[in-house]
Amino acid sequence: MDDEQEWSIQQIAKLAGTTSRTLRHYDDIGLLPPSSIGRNGYRYYGRAALVRLQRILLLRELGLGLPQIAAVLERETGEVPALEAHLAWLRQEQDRLARQIASVENTISAVRGGERLMAENMFDGFDHTQYKDEVEQRWGKKAYADSDRWWRSMSADEKSAWQQRASDLGRDWIAAAESGIAPDSEQAQAVAKRHVEWLAGIPGTPAAAPGGDVRGYVIGLGEMYVADPRFGANYATSQGGTHGAEFVRDALRVYAETNL
């Protein structure tokens, strides 16, 4: 790409699948200034602006709101390392999703054909070990070892039931967030109670450890749901951004401060 080449706001909007209005908004809030402005007042974008826009769109797809995106970009020290890290994550997700798709397709085929289900193949791609380093860093190696031992000791039916419970929680959180109720409402607090009970059933977490800082753990986890798009995606609502994750965070905080 020629470093001197620039594209008009209309060209970039079309190429990126967005709108000129969105790009002007990004400029207004300081997220994506144009590379130059012509005598006619039109905005033009060069190489650096295009790279930054790609990062913005990638982070938007992960569910981050514009303030969180601005904070992420502010912390980054270079374009290439940031893009390489994101590319590595995308490839991991691509591989995981491909394995999940194949697993579900095989299950459908087996059920339709009346064949025997192979339990050992049904959960390929549902890999709990992907967060090993983070768990060990946050809560210690023993926490991960305990939860890993617990997970591996479960039967296929038990794993399926646990995943269904997590799925039900996610569904109910999203429904609560989209209904317009307050985080401290009776309905939201009922879901928060279920969530904490679910956490307490996972060995290795502070919620399950005798004398553990359950209150701090629950509040901190709620904050992580908002800060980390991988977790926040579980609570994505039709409003987009981090609205759902923020609702979960606020409801968990109220529950923890009131009951833990």
Side-chain angles (χ1 to χ4, degrees):
M1 183 186 298
D2 185 352
D3 286 350
E4 302 302 319
Q5 185 177 1
E6 292 186 333
W7 293 261
S8 70
I9 190 170
Q10 292 86 358
Q11 289 174 310
I12 294 304
K14 183 177 180 180
L15 289 170
T18 186
T19 66
S20 297
R21 180 180 179 182
T22 296
L23 295 177
R24 287 194 294 270
H25 177 61
Y26 289 172
D27 180 18
D28 291 341
I29 63 176
L31 186 61
L32 181 69
S35 303
S36 64
I37 299 179
R39 292 182 179 178
N40 53 9
Y42 287 179
R43 294 168 171 83
Y44 293 90
Y45 298 83
R47 174 190 177 279
L50 262 63
V51 173
R52 187 174 177 89
L53 177 58
Q54 185 185 57
R55 291 286 293 134
I56 292 169
L57 297 178
L58 286 168
L59 292 169
R60 285 290 280 170
E61 287 191 3
L62 289 177
L64 267 68
L66 297 183
Q68 287 81 17
I69 291 174
V72 169
L73 295 179
E74 182 67 24
R75 290 196 302 267
E76 290 176 353
T77 58
E79 298 169 348
V80 173
L83 287 169
E84 287 176 339
H86 199 112
L87 179 60
W89 182 85
L90 287 172
R91 283 175 172 161
Q92 289 177 354
E93 282 296 285
Q94 181 183 47
D95 177 67
R96 185 180 65 82
L97 289 172
R99 289 160 54 202
Q100 286 188 353
I101 289 170
S103 175
V104 174
E105 286 177 341
N106 290 336
T107 299
I108 291 173
S109 297
V111 171
R112 281 178 175 171
E115 302 172 5
R116 177 175 175 269
L117 289 175
M118 302 297 291
E120 62 271 23
N121 297 327
M122 289 178 64
F123 301 102
D124 188 29
F126 300 89
D127 185 7
H128 71 291
T129 64
Q130 61 183 308
Y131 302 119
K132 177 178 184 290
D133 292 341
E134 292 176 55
V135 171
E136 290 184 343
Q137 182 178 2
R138 288 176 183 271
W139 299 298
K141 291 186 176 182
K142 184 178 185 302
Y144 176 80
D146 289 346
S147 61
D148 180 63
R149 189 182 312 108
W150 162 76
W151 179 259
R152 294 183 186 281
S153 70
M154 294 167 69
S155 67
D157 287 343
E158 289 172 331
K159 288 179 180 177
S160 179
W162 187 88
Q163 288 168 335
Q164 184 62 54
R165 189 178 178 189
S167 177
D168 290 344
L169 271 173
R171 178 202 63 208
D172 292 345
W173 274 126
I174 292 171
E178 292 185 331
S179 71
I181 62 175
D184 62 354
S185 66
E186 183 179 349
Q187 301 96 311
Q189 288 302 291
V191 183
K193 182 176 185 293
R194 287 168 49 204
H195 197 101
V196 173
E197 290 172 345
W198 173 68
L199 292 172
I202 305 174
T205 69
D213 182 12
V214 182
R215 179 177 178 176
Y217 169 66
V218 170
I219 292 175
L221 201 60
E223 294 291 348
M224 189 171 69
Y225 290 159
V226 177
D228 193 324
R230 294 169 302 171
F231 294 99
N234 294 321
Y235 310 109
T237 66
S238 57
Q239 293 180 253
T242 58
H243 170 256
E246 290 172 2
F247 181 88
V248 177
R249 175 200 62 193
D250 295 345
L252 287 175
R253 176 177 288 276
V254 170
Y255 183 86
E257 292 179 344
T258 305
N259 300 281
L260 301 178

